[in-house]
């Protein structure tokens, strides 16, 4: 399995995602610079967390307009799986690859803590290996998901909500922590699976997301 | 007392002082620059002429207390600074310790007290930016940040705004750059109300061969600057840090510096790439005193000269004078020395990371620091005179005020124990600091193996490289000023010992010390007396424990309304954990485990949080109440080596040291993981002292029941007291025959935030 | 050579989108007893952004077109925000 | 019963203070090739905030006084920001 991890100036979970892909999952992991074209032959694209472009203006707004994002959109259109984590989720929304937007948390402060998630669907390529409830850290100040009424009805109606907070930390509508695209190949989530994938970090629930992707791709290692 | 505070100088342009070249240097102007007449005479003599206004500005910052350590250098020489593992000791941007396997750790602590008092968010944020630069400048990737904060009591109406701003500023910068803030402490005391303390520490990891030094090597090499453009902000920041906080001092500061963590992240990546690819011969950040300090220090360390042309320095404001460009403390700027064939590659790296990059001058062999502007030479000074010849003072030294004896110690009846414990747990200094650290991204870089609140120190996993195993380091920073206020020498010893003990309790061997010494004006004999004694105590403890000091920072002039803060040394320490199996946390592990207290019996209540709660806090400018007991340093060394050895032998299941709040609070904190404890025996016969006395230091551990005899035998062989005091249970905490307190009740008290319960 | 226009874009949260910053300010204002505000009550607080910039363009029409494009596609997020542009003639 | 005023406060970083956000946006805009912006160059980008609110006050003068106090003491940080207030007459 060959994963591309996109690096924007200000990304700061890029190394964590590369490391989980390589050392924990045993995949081939390729750093992809935001100004360059996406390398060919990828099985998965990860948009990592961080503060791309300082999160100035709006989280993810400037990164969403980077040259590489045109390639990511084409990759997604062709059915390639794309996982956006935290800032990656914000970028996907800003780029229009996922609906909605992430606003500042309702209490206006950054939250770095473990949360429990309900996995709403376990028949998708992002969740097939997940148990019903998983624990993962969040670390964000702009994770308060918003979609207008129609969009929300569509997300819920079509079963596109993948992860829901058991206790809403940030004010997200319908307790949404992660969603996927209609086509089912683009997923954005605020919690950090890569921070919960090794015993030494105290929790391995996040690994199930990566394991799901490996299963779906069928490329094995 | 201090002539600088009675006739303050002002930020030259704003206050109508001529900073152009034809300015004439009057005695007033010299005083306004914080230089003494005899210092000025030395300058004239060395230059053989009157300095220009630019040169005067340069001398004033380079010879400020902040940069030159005029009052502290002779005292600091008493600290042990060498050891087998020390790759870089004091003098560089950060100390570096070899941890084997080709890896080294750079670490350093800094204060940003005065800027944070003026503008808490930006002051704290730029403090974080500055300490990060000190670390990556050495070639190390920052892997952890720590913060030590001191405020006035939360009931003081001004404090909430300051605490909020400082915590938000640390979070704002650290989170964005992606360096986890993993530990620290926060204390509230009236003594710090007028002059809050914001100390930050950063820890970075590097391959030993990537070590980079801040030296301007090789005449003919280019001097490159990259990062943000230079603006009129923070002019004379170093001097600002070197005097008391007063209305006048605030007024005369240039524009407030604003941190740009996004630029901070870009120069971090660019710097590490430049170093890793061997593109720089020397590199240094522009911190205090900006371009002035970085150029002089780099030339001074290498024994070379440096020549720069200010017209090439990217500027944010129009029409800046040479004086302003040289003294600006605009953030996020770096200075590198590059061999001519590598310039192009170096500039490419800067471009890729979108952080500018211009050649502004060259290294020379003249030993002179030469500055040109608009075609004229505006400064031409021997670099070594600026860095090596700064005056040294031996201030008058008087013993600090002795504590007032306590008279009768407060007694606590058995029926009052639980309520006392809950009140202490909820007190701002002892209560959980979750309200702060949950706003810090402490998990980025997937390294937080022991997180805030889980152990006495944070444990950071360093990813194994090239298929090698993970490595683990532990970091902590601490400083209980209440002990130092009572006995500066013992307080200094205790501060070092507490940091080391915190490391030992998570299973780490202490390897190196950094520190930040926050004191009042050294020109007050009793302040200097406390400083000298405190550093002496620190040195004794470092020697006894065998840990060298690799760097630190002195912050003098922490005063308000003419009253010094309590002497507040902060100790940062680095430890190494050889085996992941040795990582130890504070929470009990299993019902039935035996709880032991290692160390001597408690003595007295002087300096304790209990006494603060019952008799009130130490008040600024008055002698503190209650003495502290003599401290057996040798015994402490034995206690720590026993604890570490027992952990390494797999005996210890949990460990937590006794600090603020005493044994009862320590036990309660061990219960927060979910298991309870039944404590049968309170050591000693006075309940207050036994449960709430904080000294001498002790460690509470839990072991499997069958291992308890072995631990006791080991302790006896090492000459350490070991008392079985109780047992881990599935219920709550019951202390020496008192009713059980439910864990939820302990947790609720411990999670009290500083402003809860206040109007 | 073009001319030089001063431009301003104001970006506000859409009315139907909750504005936590505005709410926090509103609450703070209600709680604070600021001198000078006695007897005055603030409500409907909404917080937006304002971007000042200078545009170098051939003429006013192209400056306006560019400003609109920047605002619509970068400075504001149409999912949650609305914007307004204004431009001043070159001095 | 008082009247009802619509008020607006604009808060900008002071000119001498660095505006990292404005700088980053300026750099990003220079790199973006947005259709509709060809031949137009943006510079001197500064980002501030704008607060809309409604005031209930006895008269315009007291509304103005209150707005000024709010802006000065709550909405702007005088260390690094300057502000301007405007108020509209009741409809
Ligand atoms: N300002 C802070 N920033 C980060 N972590 C903090 C801060 N203050 C306290 N902590 C963390 O909270 C925990 C408890 O702190 P403290 O009460 O000082 O414990 P101890 O007395 O054991 O040192 C530790 O893990 C400490 O590192
Ligand atoms: Mg402590």
């Amino acid at each position: 399995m060959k994963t591309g991890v996109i690096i924007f100036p200000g990304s700061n979970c890029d190394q964590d995602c590369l490391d989980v892909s390589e050392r924990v999952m045993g995949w081939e992991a390729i750093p992809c610079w935001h100004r360059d074209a996406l390398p060919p032959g990828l099985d998965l694209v990860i948009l990592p967390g961080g503060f791309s472009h300082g999160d100035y203006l709006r989280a993810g707004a400037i990164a969403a307009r980077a040259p590489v994002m045109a390639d990511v959109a084409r990759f997604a259109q062709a059915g390639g799986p794309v996982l956006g984590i935290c800032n990656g989720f914000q970028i996907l929304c800003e780029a229009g690859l996922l609906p909605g937007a992430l606003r500042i948390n309702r209490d206006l402060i950054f939250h770095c803590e473990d949360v429990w998630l309900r996995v709403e669907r376990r028949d998708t390529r992002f969740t097939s290996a997940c148990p019903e409830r998983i624990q993962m850290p969040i670390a964000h100040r702009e994770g308060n998901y918003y979609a207008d009424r129609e969009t929300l009805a569509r997300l819920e109606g079509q079963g596109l909500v993948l992860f829901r907070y058991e206790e809403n930390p940030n004010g997200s509508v319908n307790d949404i922590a992660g969603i996927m695209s209609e086509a089912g190949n683009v997923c954005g989530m605020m919690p950090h699976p890569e921070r919960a994938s090794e015993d030494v970090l105290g929790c391995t629930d996040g690994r199930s997301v990566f394991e799901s992707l490996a299963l779906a791709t069928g490329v094995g290692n | 007392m201090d002539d600088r505070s009675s006739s303050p100088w002002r930020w030259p342009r704003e206050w109508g002082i001529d900073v152009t070249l034809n300015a004439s240097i009057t005695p007033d102007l010299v005083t306004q620059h914080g230089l003494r007449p005899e210092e000025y005479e030395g300058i004239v003599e060395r230059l053989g002429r009157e300095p220009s206004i630019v040169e005067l500005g340069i001398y004033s910052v380079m010879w400020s207390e902040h940069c030159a350590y005029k009052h502290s250098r002779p005292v600091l020489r008493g600290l042990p600074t060498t050891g087998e593992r020390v790759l870089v000791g004091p003098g560089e941007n950060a100390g570096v310790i070899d941890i084997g396997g080709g890896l080294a750790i750079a670490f350093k602590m800094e204060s940003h007290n005065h800027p944070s008092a003026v503008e808490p968010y930006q002051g704290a944020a730029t403090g974080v930016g500055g300490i990060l630069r000190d670390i990556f400048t050495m070639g190390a990737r920052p892997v952890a940040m720590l913060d030590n904060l001191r405020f006035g009591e939360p009931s003081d109406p001004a404090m909430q705004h300051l605490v909020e701003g400082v915590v938000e500023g640390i979070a704002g910068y650290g989170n964005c750059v992606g360096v986890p803030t993993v530990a620290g402490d926060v204390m509230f005391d009236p003594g710090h109300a007028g002059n809050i303390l914001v100390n930050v520490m950063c820890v970075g990891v590097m391959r030993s061969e990537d070590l980079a030094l801040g030296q301007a090597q090789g005449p003919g090499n280019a001097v490159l600057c990259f990062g943000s453009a230079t603006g009129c902000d923070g002019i004379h920041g170093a001097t600002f840090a070197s005097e008391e906080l007063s209305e006048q001092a605030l007024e005369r500061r240039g524009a407030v510096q604003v941190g740009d963590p996004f630029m901070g992240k870009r120069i971090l990546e660019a710097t590490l790439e430049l170093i890793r690819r061997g593109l720089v011969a020397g590199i240094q950040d522009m911190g205090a005193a900006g371009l002035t300090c970085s150029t002089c220090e780099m030339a001074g360390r290498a024994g070379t000269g440096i020549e720069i042309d200010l017209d090439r320095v990217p500027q944010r404001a129009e029409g800046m004078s040479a004086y302003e460009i040289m003294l600006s403390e605009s953030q996020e700027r770096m200075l590198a020395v590059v061999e001519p064939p590598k310039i192009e590659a170096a500039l490419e790296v800067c471009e890729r990371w979108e952080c500018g990059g211009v050649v502004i001058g060259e290294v020379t062999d003249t030993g002179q620091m030469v500055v040109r502007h608009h075609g004229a030479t505006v400064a031409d000074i021997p670099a070594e005179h600026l860095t090596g010849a700064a005056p040294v003072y031996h201030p008058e030294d008087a013993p600090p005020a002795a504590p007032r004896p306590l008279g009768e110690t407060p007694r606590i009846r058995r029926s009052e124990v639980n309520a006392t414990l809950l009140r202490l747990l909820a007190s701002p200094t002892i209560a959980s600091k979750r309200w702060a650290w949950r706003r810090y991204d402490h998990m980025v870089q997937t390294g937080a193996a022991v997180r805030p609140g889980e152990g006495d120190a944070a444990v950071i996993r360093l990813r194994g490289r090239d298929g090698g195993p993970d490595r683990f380091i532990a970091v902590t920073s601490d400083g209980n000023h209440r002990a130092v206020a009572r006995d500066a020498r013992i307080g200094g010893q205790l501060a070092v010992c507490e940091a080391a003990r915190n490391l030992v309790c998570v299973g780490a061997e202490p390897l190196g010390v950094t520190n930040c010494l926050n004191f009042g004006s050294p020109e007050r004999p009793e302040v200097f007396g406390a400083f000298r004694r405190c550093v002496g105590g620190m040195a004794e403890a470092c020697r006894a424990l065998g840990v060298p000091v690799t760097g630190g920072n002195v912050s003098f002039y922490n005063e308000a309304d003419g009253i010094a803060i309590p002497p507040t040394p902060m100790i940062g320490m680095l430890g190494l954990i050889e085996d992941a199996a040795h990582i130890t946390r504070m929470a009990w592990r299993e019902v039935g485990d035996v709880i032991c207290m290692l160390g001597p019996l408690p003595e007295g209540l002087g300096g304790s949080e209990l006494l603060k709660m019952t008799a009130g806090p130490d008040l600024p400018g008055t002698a503190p109440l209650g003495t502290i007991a003599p401290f057996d340093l040798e015994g402490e060394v034995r206690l720590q080596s026993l604890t570490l050895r027992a952990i390494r032998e797999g005996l210890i299941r949990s460990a937590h040291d006794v600090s603020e709040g005493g044994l009862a609070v320590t036990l309660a904190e061990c219960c927060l993981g979910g298991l309870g404890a039944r404590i049968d025996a309170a050591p000693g016969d006075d309940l207050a002292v036994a449960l709430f006395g904080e000294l001498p230091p002790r460690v509470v551990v839990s072991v499997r029941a069958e291992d308890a005899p072995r631990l006791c035998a080991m302790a006896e062989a090492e000459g350490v007291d070991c008392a079985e005091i109780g047992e881990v249970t599935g219920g709550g905490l019951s202390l020496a025959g008192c009713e059980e307190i439910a864990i939820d009740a302990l947790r609720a008290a411990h999670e009290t935030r500083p402003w809860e319960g206040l109007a | 050579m073009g001319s030089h226009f001063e431009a301003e874009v104001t970006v506000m949260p859409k009315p139907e989108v909750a504005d936590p910053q505005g709410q926090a300010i509103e609450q703070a204002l209600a709680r604070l007893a600021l001198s000078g505000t006695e007897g005055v009550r603030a409500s409907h607080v909404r917080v937006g952004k304002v971007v000042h910039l200078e545009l170098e363009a051939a003429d006013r029409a192209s400056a306006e077109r560019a400003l609109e494009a920047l605002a619509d596609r970068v400075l504001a997020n149409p999912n949650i925000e609305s914007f307004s542009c204004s431009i001043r003639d070159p001095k």
Side-chain angles (χ1 to χ4, degrees), chain A, chain B, chain C:
Chain A
M1 177 131 167
K2 197 164 152 184
T3 308
V5 176
I6 316 283
I7 304 179
F8 301 96
S11 295
N12 64 30
C13 304
D14 46 333
Q15 297 305 316
D16 303 355
C17 289
L18 288 164
D19 185 64
V20 161
S21 302
E22 244 166 29
R23 283 201 331 155
V24 178
M25 300 306 296
W27 301 341
E28 184 185 351
I30 303 173
C32 308
W33 186 238
H34 71 123
R35 280 197 227 159
D36 298 341
L38 209 56
L42 294 179
D43 301 303
L44 169 66
V45 168
I46 299 180
L47 297 172
F51 287 70
S52 57
H53 294 275
D55 270 4
Y56 296 146
L57 192 59
R58 285 183 314 280
I62 298 176
R65 281 134 190 108
V68 76
M69 288 307 292
D71 281 7
V72 171
R74 273 188 288 275
F75 179 81
Q77 225 128 54
V82 177
L83 174 63
I85 301 167
C86 198
N87 194 226
F89 186 12
Q90 294 160 342
I91 295 170
L92 288 172
C93 289
E94 282 282 347
L97 291 171
L98 287 173
L102 293 140
R103 299 164 301 177
I104 190 164
N105 295 348
R106 68 180 156 204
D107 59 4
L108 305 180
I109 63 175
F110 194 94
H111 285 236
C112 178
E113 61 207 358
D114 285 324
V115 296
W116 278 100
L117 302 173
R118 256 195 339 265
V119 182
E120 296 290 60
R121 293 231 351 227
R122 290 157 67 214
D123 57 350
T124 75
R125 63 168 98 196
F126 300 97
T127 55
S128 63
C130 298
E132 273 168 56
R133 304 174 67 223
I134 54 180
Q135 195 184 26
M136 262 184 232
I138 54 168
H140 61 246
R141 206 172 83 110
E142 271 123 14
N144 179 351
Y145 184 74
Y146 173 82
D148 60 37
R149 211 170 313 143
E150 300 89 90
T151 310
L152 203 55
R154 188 167 58 78
L155 284 172
E156 296 290 3
Q158 300 183 10
L160 302 179
V161 176
L162 295 190
F163 305 101
R164 239 186 269 275
Y165 301 110
E166 292 193 349
E167 265 175 69
N168 192 331
N170 54 27
S172 289
V173 290
N174 293 14
D175 305 326
I176 289 174
I179 58 172
M180 70 173 178
S181 62
E182 261 173 71
N185 65 319
V186 178
C187 166
M189 60 193 299
M190 288 314 294
H192 285 271
E194 82 281 12
R195 296 186 184 186
S197 291
E198 294 171 85
D199 285 316
V200 66
L201 302 177
C203 177
T204 56
D205 287 3
R207 203 154 70 198
S208 62
V209 173
F210 300 106
E211 279 159 359
S212 304
L213 282 159
L215 282 175
T217 316
V219 187
N221 281 355
Chain B
M1 35 131 305
D2 173 13
D3 53 4
R4 279 169 301 167
S5 55
S6 51
S7 89
W9 55 273
R10 301 191 179 283
W11 185 45
R13 194 196 257 185
E14 199 166 304
W15 295 92
I17 292 178
D18 186 0
V19 292
T20 58
L21 284 183
N22 34 27
S24 59
I25 312 287
T26 60
D28 265 0
L29 196 59
V30 171
T31 316
Q32 283 163 337
H33 277 78
L35 289 166
R36 303 183 181 194
E38 63 276 17
E39 292 174 349
Y40 182 71
E41 278 158 31
I43 293 169
V44 173
E45 192 179 319
R46 180 61 196 261
L47 292 180
R49 58 179 166 80
E50 298 258 303
S52 72
I53 180 83
V54 180
E55 290 169 330
L56 185 69
I58 291 175
Y59 271 105
S60 107
V61 292
M62 290 305 293
W63 285 10
S64 69
E65 185 64 44
H66 186 81
C67 292
Y69 291 85
K70 291 196 264 204
H71 292 91
S72 59
R73 240 183 308 159
V75 174
L76 295 178
R77 277 199 200 105
L79 293 167
T81 58
T82 53
E84 272 164 43
R85 291 182 181 270
V86 179
L87 290 185
V88 177
E92 274 282 346
N93 290 301
V96 181
I97 292 277
D98 188 346
I99 59 162
L103 292 184
I105 304 292
F107 65 115
K108 170 87 186 292
M109 199 178 221
E110 272 271 4
S111 63
H112 231 216
N113 304 339
H114 288 181
S116 305
V118 178
E119 165 45 46
Y121 182 99
Q122 296 297 346
T126 51
V128 170
I131 194 68
L132 281 166
R133 287 195 298 278
D134 277 339
I135 297 305
F136 66 69
T137 258
M138 307 291 298
R141 176 170 289 277
V143 295
M145 287 262 322
L146 300 87
D147 62 325
N148 296 85
L149 313 178
R150 297 292 178 272
F151 299 103
E153 295 284 344
S155 52
D156 177 341
M159 278 313 128
Q160 187 162 0
H161 166 72
L162 289 171
V163 175
E164 181 66 26
V166 165
V167 168
E168 194 63 13
I170 292 170
Y173 205 104
N175 297 356
C176 184
V177 177
V179 177
T181 302
V182 296
D185 70 348
V186 190
M187 291 175 81
F188 299 87
D189 229 327
H192 293 107
N195 190 116
I196 62 169
L197 300 184
V198 175
N199 290 182
V200 282
M201 170 173 162
C202 184
V203 183
V205 61
M206 66 173 113
R207 297 184 303 181
S208 316
E209 73 255 32
D210 284 340
L211 177 61
L213 297 178
Q215 302 193 344
Q217 294 290 0
N221 285 345
V223 175
L224 177 84
C225 93
F226 62 98
S228 294
T230 297
C232 280
D233 39 8
I235 291 183
H236 275 304
T239 333
F240 178 60
S242 308
E243 59 184 359
E244 291 140 50
L245 209 47
S246 63
E247 284 291 318
Q248 295 95 320
L250 299 187
E251 275 174 22
R252 79 179 86 102
R253 265 215 97 193
V256 167
Q257 295 147 276
V258 167
D260 181 356
F262 177 43
M263 181 58 91
K265 170 71 170 167
R266 283 177 287 162
I267 59 174
L268 182 165
E269 296 296 344
T271 301
L272 292 180
E273 186 172 336
L274 287 170
I275 293 170
R276 197 179 55 241
R277 291 174 50 189
L279 295 176
V280 293
I283 188 160
Q284 157 139 3
D285 71 303
M286 296 190 215
L291 196 49
T292 292
C293 196
S294 50
T295 46
C296 302
E297 285 190 359
M298 285 188 77
R301 288 195 196 106
T304 54
I306 221 165
E307 194 171 320
I308 57 174
D309 181 354
L310 299 184
D311 298 327
R312 300 205 219 154
V313 175
Q315 292 157 39
R316 211 179 63 229
E318 266 152 48
M320 289 181 73
S321 67
Y323 182 97
E324 290 162 325
I325 301 171
M326 285 306 287
L327 299 186
S328 160
E329 288 191 7
S330 290
Q331 296 291 298
E332 288 89 25
R333 296 177 300 158
M334 299 293 293
L335 195 75
V337 168
V338 183
E339 293 164 13
K342 296 178 176 171
I343 294 175
E344 202 178 320
L347 289 175
E348 261 171 39
V349 171
C350 294
E351 199 283 328
R352 181 176 146 87
W353 289 104
E354 297 173 25
C355 53
V358 259
V359 172
I360 61 163
E362 127 175 14
V363 179
T364 65
D365 58 7
T366 61
Q368 293 290 114
M369 127 129 214
V370 178
V371 182
R372 295 193 202 288
H373 191 225
H374 298 338
T377 299
V378 296
D380 189 350
I381 313 177
E384 153 288 324
H385 193 228
L386 289 165
T387 55
V392 170
Y393 298 119
H394 299 273
E396 209 183 309
D397 170 338
R404 289 172 291 142
L406 197 50
E408 203 168 323
T409 58
R411 297 241 151 223
I412 288 192
R413 285 193 302 266
R414 206 164 293 275
S415 59
E416 298 164 331
V417 164
N418 285 354
T420 306
L421 170 59
L422 290 172
R423 259 183 84 195
L424 273 174
L425 275 177
S427 68
T429 291
I430 293 180
S432 164
K433 307 304 181 301
R434 185 188 308 275
W435 54 267
W437 52 253
R438 82 150 177 181
R439 292 161 79 160
Y440 303 153
D441 188 344
H442 49 272
M443 297 191 236
V444 63
Q445 298 192 18
T446 59
V450 173
R451 298 183 193 174
E454 290 184 349
D456 279 335
V459 176
I460 307 293
R461 180 270 303 262
L462 309 176
R463 288 177 193 136
R465 296 161 194 245
D466 311 321
D470 287 346
R471 309 282 311 272
F472 295 88
I473 56 171
V475 289
T476 182
S477 60
D478 248 307
N480 185 336
H481 55 271
R482 289 171 50 80
V484 189
R486 283 163 175 77
D487 187 316
R489 176 167 158 253
I490 293 183
Q493 294 179 342
L494 285 170
V496 169
C497 289
E498 167 158 11
R501 201 181 322 111
N502 285 341
L503 294 179
V504 162
C505 284
V506 297
E509 179 192 353
L511 298 186
V513 176
T514 184
N515 65 85
C516 188
L517 306 173
N518 306 273
F519 284 75
S521 164
E523 293 150 70
R524 286 179 202 283
E526 70 287 358
V527 168
F528 188 75
F531 175 73
R532 202 178 56 73
R533 285 165 178 78
C534 175
V535 174
M538 287 167 51
E540 287 161 352
C542 288
R543 287 210 171 79
L545 292 164
V547 275
V549 176
T550 63
N553 173 241
V554 178
S555 171
F556 279 138
Y557 302 103
N558 291 291
E559 309 211 338
D561 304 325
I563 299 178
I565 59 161
T568 313
M570 250 34 123
I571 307 294
M573 217 181 275
L574 165 75
L576 181 64
I577 302 179
E578 289 292 358
D579 184 339
H582 299 161
I583 297 174
T584 307
R585 296 177 173 77
M586 64 170 74
W588 311 128
R589 297 272 296 282
E590 204 172 325
V591 173
D593 283 354
V594 167
I595 299 167
C596 299
M597 189 184 85
L598 305 175
L601 288 182
E603 275 180 73
L605 288 169
S608 68
E609 290 292 318
L610 176 71
L611 202 58
K612 175 174 170 186
M613 196 170 83
T614 53
D618 297 348
L619 292 176
T622 59
L625 181 66
T627 52
I628 56 175
F631 176 48
D632 174 10
L633 187 53
E634 315 272 273
E636 170 75 17
V637 174
R638 291 195 303 273
L639 167 66
Q640 293 193 18
S641 82
L642 167 76
T643 307
L644 186 58
R645 198 151 71 76
I647 287 176
R648 287 179 168 169
E649 292 190 11
L651 282 177
I652 306 284
R653 313 202 77 197
S654 74
H656 186 18
D657 77 325
V658 175
S659 61
E660 289 86 31
L663 179 65
V665 165
T666 299
L667 291 165
E669 288 171 348
C670 296
C671 292
L672 297 173
L675 295 179
R678 200 192 57 250
I679 304 303
D680 315 308
D685 38 33
D686 176 330
L687 265 186
V689 174
L691 291 174
F692 302 106
E694 297 173 11
L695 293 172
R698 285 147 286 154
V699 174
V700 168
V701 299
S702 65
V703 297
R704 286 185 194 83
E706 64 267 29
D707 288 336
R710 210 171 121 215
L711 179 66
C712 292
M714 265 174 75
E716 196 176 334
E718 293 228 14
V720 176
D721 292 336
C722 173
E724 285 185 27
I725 58 171
E727 173 180 307
V728 177
T729 70
L733 172 65
S734 76
L735 291 169
C738 303
E739 229 175 282
E740 186 172 285
I741 314 177
I743 294 190
D744 283 345
L746 295 174
R747 205 173 277 143
H750 191 240
E751 290 298 335
T752 306
R753 298 180 204 198
W755 284 277
E756 263 168 61
L758 292 177
Chain C
M1 267 299 310
S3 327
H4 192 83
F5 299 87
E6 286 192 12
E8 180 178 300
V9 178
T10 306
V11 180
M12 293 298 294
K14 284 187 178 169
E16 69 270 24
V17 177
D19 172 20
Q21 283 185 76
Q23 281 159 16
I25 291 176
E26 194 165 319
Q27 281 164 18
L29 295 184
R31 227 173 329 109
L32 283 174
L34 274 189
S35 67
T37 66
E38 298 84 357
V40 179
R41 217 176 59 86
S43 62
H44 296 83
V45 181
R46 313 273 299 165
V47 180
K49 268 194 290 266
V50 54
V51 182
H52 286 178
L53 65 169
E54 294 183 14
L55 292 174
E56 183 113 8
D59 49 39
R60 192 184 167 103
S62 52
E64 272 172 358
R65 200 164 354 100
L67 188 64
E68 191 79 16
L70 288 179
D72 184 41
R73 312 243 291 286
V74 184
L75 301 180
N77 177 345
N79 283 323
I80 46 173
E81 295 168 328
S82 58
F83 64 88
S84 66
C85 297
S86 80
I87 208 159
R88 265 199 282 161
D89 265 334
K91 278 165 291 190

